[in-house]
Amino acid sequence: MRRSVLASAVLGATALAGLAQIPAVAAPTAPAASSGGTVTVFETEAQALTVYEDPRGCQALPALAHVLGNHTDRTVRVYGNPFCLGPAVTVAPGHGTHVPGGAGSFSA
């Protein structure tokens, strides 16, 4: 009987030692905060891109705006007027669209 108690104690200690060596599973982390990103607007080949850093709210487009690129992590809406009112074209993150020349705007 004494041997079986001793054997049980040794087996139990071995099992505990084995469990102690199992690495702990890391808790899931929260997603990184939004970095904002940029919206870029192409006007003409002779001009540098217009870049809006972390745009918020309604933004008027340059008079010669031709193409808008959405490099943010949220949807951008493009309007045919300078007030961000009425129908809009939605531009998903990582996508772009042609924009109306003249008095257009976008909201992010």
Side-chain angles (χ1 to χ4, degrees):
M1 169 107 168
R2 197 168 178 196
R3 280 190 171 178
S4 64
V5 171
L6 183 60
S8 294
V10 169
L11 286 174
T14 304
L16 284 176
L19 287 176
Q21 293 178 3
I22 296 174
V25 176
T29 58
S34 171
S35 61
T38 61
V39 170
T40 57
V41 177
F42 169 78
E43 296 172 72
T44 69
E45 290 81 0
Q47 294 172 278
L49 295 172
T50 301
V51 179
Y52 299 84
E53 295 285 339
D54 191 21
R56 300 282 180 189
C58 186
Q59 304 287 326
L61 288 168
L64 298 176
H66 185 68
V67 176
L68 177 141
N70 180 5
H71 308 283
T72 69
D73 58 359
R74 58 192 181 276
T75 300
V76 168
R77 289 175 174 72
V78 179
Y79 303 87
N81 62 68
F83 311 110
C84 296
L85 298 173
V89 172
T90 57
V91 183
H95 290 79
T97 188
H98 284 91
V99 295
S105 60
F106 73 92
S107 64

